[in-house]
Amino acid sequence: MVCVSLSLLLRYTLVKLLSRHVGQILSAHVAGKVVMKSYLSGMPECKFGINDKIQMDSKGKTTTEDPSRSGKASIAIDDCQFHQCVKLSKFESEHSISFIPPDGEFELMRYRTTKDISLPFRIIPLVREFERTKMEVKIVLKSTFKPSLLAQKIEVRIPTPLNTSGVQLICMKGKAKYKSSENAIVWKIKRMGGMKESQISAEIELLQTNDKKKWTRPPISMNFEVPFAPSGLKVRYLKVFESKINYSDQDVIKWVRYIGRSGLYETRC
């Protein structure tokens, strides 16, 4: 049996720091990698295509064309590194990733991008303080990806003051729990489709203290997993060429999988 398995794993860090009112993104980047698992006979040459073309922009950065994405001609990649099996001369001249894969699993490519990132979720916080004994928190969570996709392993952590004495929670979806040892409300949702919205409300009772310093609210953090690449990178083709052994590209079984995982994903209250 001749087969090749290709997995595109986006273990990215999306740092999303938003101002309280205008929703400004202060910092965001994606760190991704392409992992390949190969079980091929002989010494075949493989060609790997990302988006429509791979180019070098005027500043010497790698870019990939994708006219269908938001009407923009290219997607900038700030840093890009390849496995030693990649023929860099062909990449520079033909703008394609050509390589002879080693057996088993290996990291073909890793990259970093900071532009045109599709943020999978938007967190909208609303906090109201009543003197120094009570606080009301409402968090709206919106998914911004395609309705046909499904995010999973979603967790939202909402910090609470150190002098919290009790919390009453109401959530529309999933389960929420106040963890006093961690000074946080943890809201978990198993799955959530694209273009959906959910919310959680919390009434927080506070103990009176002599500390006159106002509580500095830590950011709300989030973890999740989505089946797409927030950088916009897409696998267009993977071709196999083997002239010495009697099999063709059509005989090869191929798999492509996208996994996007959150890194530091935070929103300021």
Side-chain angles (χ1 to χ4, degrees):
M1 181 180 180
V2 179
C3 66
V4 59
S5 173
L6 175 67
S7 298
L8 187 65
L9 304 178
L10 280 284
R11 295 177 182 174
Y12 55 87
T13 299
L14 293 177
V15 182
K16 182 183 177 186
L17 304 177
L18 307 181
S19 66
R20 185 174 182 182
H21 298 292
V22 299
Q24 179 186 6
I25 299 174
L26 302 181
S27 176
H29 77 268
V30 172
K33 64 181 181 179
V34 178
V35 176
M36 186 172 186
K37 188 179 290 184
S38 171
Y39 299 101
L40 288 170
S41 302
M43 296 286 288
E45 180 175 353
C46 300
K47 281 193 175 182
F48 177 73
I50 297 177
N51 295 75
D52 291 332
K53 293 181 181 179
I54 299 177
Q55 298 181 335
M56 302 296 291
D57 66 12
S58 59
K59 295 181 180 180
K61 293 182 179 181
T62 306
T63 63
T64 61
E65 285 191 359
D66 188 358
S68 64
R69 188 173 186 268
S70 302
K72 297 184 179 180
S74 63
I75 303 169
I77 298 177
D78 298 292
D79 301 298
C80 190
Q81 297 177 346
F82 296 102
H83 188 273
Q84 60 186 10
C85 69
V86 174
K87 298 178 181 179
L88 294 177
S89 58
K90 288 194 174 183
F91 173 72
E92 293 172 357
S93 61
E94 302 175 10
H95 307 307
S96 65
I97 303 171
S98 181
F99 59 98
I100 298 176
D103 291 335
E105 185 175 313
F106 66 98
E107 186 178 295
L108 178 65
M109 168 188 172
R110 64 170 55 196
Y111 64 92
R112 182 177 183 273
T113 182
T114 57
K115 296 180 181 179
D116 299 322
I117 297 170
S118 298
L119 298 173
F121 289 96
R122 185 183 175 197
I123 298 174
I124 304 172
L126 176 63
V127 180
R128 298 172 61 192
E129 296 184 19
F130 299 90
E131 297 181 350
R132 299 175 65 88
T133 60
K134 185 179 177 182
M135 179 183 295
E136 289 183 355
V137 178
K138 179 181 177 181
I139 305 296
V140 178
L141 178 64
K142 292 185 177 182
S143 57
T144 59
F145 45 90
K146 294 180 180 180
S148 58
L149 300 177
L150 197 66
Q152 57 183 355
K153 301 178 182 178
I154 302 162
E155 180 181 289
V156 180
R157 300 182 67 87
I158 306 160
T160 58
L162 298 177
N163 61 325
T164 298
S165 60
V167 178
Q168 299 294 324
L169 296 168
I170 300 175
C171 62
M172 294 175 56
K173 186 178 179 66
K175 296 181 179 180
K177 185 177 181 180
Y178 167 59
K179 295 189 176 182
S180 58
S181 60
E182 301 175 21
N183 295 308
I185 298 166
V186 180
W187 180 23
K188 293 184 178 182
I189 302 174
K190 288 184 178 180
R191 298 177 186 86
M192 187 173 182
M195 305 306 292
K196 298 291 185 181
E197 178 179 314
S198 190
Q199 68 181 46
I200 182 173
S201 299
E203 188 175 291
I204 303 171
E205 299 292 337
L206 304 175
L207 295 172
Q208 289 189 348
T209 64
N210 295 325
D211 189 1
K212 296 183 179 180
K213 186 178 179 181
K214 189 176 181 180
W215 179 56
T216 303
R217 301 172 189 163
I220 298 168
S221 61
M222 186 176 181
N223 292 317
F224 54 82
E225 187 174 289
V226 292
F228 70 94
S231 61
L233 286 175
K234 295 180 181 179
V235 179
R236 295 303 184 189
Y237 64 84
L238 173 60
K239 297 181 179 179
V240 180
F241 305 92
E242 174 54 76
S243 58
K244 296 182 180 180
I245 300 179
N246 190 24
Y247 69 85
S248 66
D249 180 67
Q250 288 74 23
D251 298 321
V252 179
I253 302 171
K254 306 167 188 176
W255 294 270
V256 177
R257 182 174 55 152
Y258 297 84
I259 300 178
R261 296 190 179 101
S262 59
L264 184 65
Y265 200 92
E266 295 184 338
T267 302
R268 288 181 180 175
C269 294

